Amino acid sequence: SGGEYALRIIKENIVSLELAPGSQISENELAAEMGLSRTPVREELIELSKVKIVDVQPQKKSTIPLIDYDMVEESRFVRSLLECAVAELDCEMASAADLERLNENIRLQNLYLDDFYSGQLMDLDNQFHGMLFDIAKKSQVYALIQNISIHFDRVRTMALSSVKSTKIVQDHVNLV
C-alpha cells in the first residue's frame, strides 16, 4: 500500500542518513518524491513520531531529531536481550540448511567488506539478524523491534560508513 511504501522509504532514508539528523522534511515534498498523496505520508510520519524518530509539527515542516543516545542505548539493549534469547533457540532449532544460509550471508558480508560497500553490509547484517529470528520462529518479534531499532541503526550506519571493521562479520562467524 501507499502507507507501507511511504514508511519503508522514509525509514530507509532516515537510517541511511539521507534524511540527516536535524533536517527538516515536508509532507508535500516527500509525497511528491514518492508519487503519493499527502495522507499516507502524513500518517507514516505520525507513526514514526511515536518512536521519536520524527518530530511532527502540525502546519510546519517536521524534523528528523538529532541522535538521542539514550534512545540508541535503549534500542541496543532491547535488541541485545532478544537476540541472546533467539540465539539460544537457534542452537536447538537450526537445521543444516539454516546454517548454510547464515554462512552464505557471511560470505557475502566478507565480499562487501573487502570492497567496503557499507550500504550493502548494513543490508546483509540486517538479513543475518532477521534469519536468526526466522530460525527461532520469532519473525514477528523481529518485525516489532525494527521500529525502536531505527535509533540504533542510524549509529550503525555512521559506524559502517566511517570504519572498515571486520569485527561485525567475525561476530557473526563466531555466532554460527
Side-chain angles (χ1 to χ4, degrees):
S1 71
E4 291 169 342
Y5 174 71
L7 180 63
R8 182 173 47 87
I9 296 300
I10 295 167
K11 282 176 73 171
E12 285 175 5
N13 286 325
I14 291 171
V15 169
S16 71
L17 306 174
E18 292 293 320
L19 292 173
S23 65
Q24 290 189 333
I25 54 175
S26 159
E27 287 177 14
N28 290 335
E29 291 172 16
L30 287 174
E33 288 173 11
M34 290 186 259
L36 299 171
S37 69
R38 281 183 49 211
T39 301
V41 172
R42 179 177 43 255
E43 288 171 354
E44 298 313 325
L45 288 174
I46 290 168
E47 282 301 307
L48 289 170
S49 75
K50 292 177 183 175
V51 291
K52 301 180 180 180
I53 202 66
V54 174
D55 289 328
V56 175
Q57 302 294 323
Q59 309 302 320
K60 296 181 181 178
K61 287 189 175 184
S62 299
T63 58
I64 305 301
L66 299 176
I67 292 174
D68 178 339
Y69 286 96
D70 289 335
M71 291 297 294
V72 171
E73 175 52 28
E74 190 171 337
S75 62
R76 188 212 54 80
F77 174 78
V78 168
R79 185 172 165 158
S80 177
L81 283 176
L82 292 171
E83 286 183 346
C84 286
V86 161
E88 287 181 24
L89 291 171
D90 287 345
C91 289
E92 299 168 11
M93 300 171 74
S95 68
D98 293 328
L99 294 175
E100 181 51 39
R101 282 183 31 233
L102 291 168
N103 281 316
E104 176 63 24
N105 179 280
I106 290 169
R107 284 190 289 278
L108 288 171
Q109 287 180 47
N110 276 315
L111 284 172
Y112 285 118
L113 184 64
D114 288 344
D115 293 331
F116 198 51
Y117 290 107
S118 60
Q120 288 87 349
L121 271 172
M122 182 81 156
D123 290 342
L124 287 166
D125 182 53
N126 288 335
Q127 288 171 23
F128 181 86
H129 291 272
M131 282 189 262
L132 294 175
F133 280 80
D134 287 344
I135 292 166
K137 307 277 189 259
K138 303 291 182 227
S139 58
Q140 290 302 307
V141 174
Y142 186 72
L144 284 172
I145 66 171
Q146 292 309 297
N147 276 340
I148 193 169
S149 291
I150 196 169
H151 295 278
F152 183 50
D153 290 345
R154 292 198 296 172
V155 173
R156 287 174 52 224
T157 295
M158 288 189 298
L160 280 173
S161 64
S162 62
V163 178
K164 182 178 177 179
S165 173
T166 59
K167 183 181 180 337
I168 296 167
V169 178
Q170 188 58 50
D171 287 348
H172 293 166
V173 169
N174 295 342
L175 182 60
V176 173

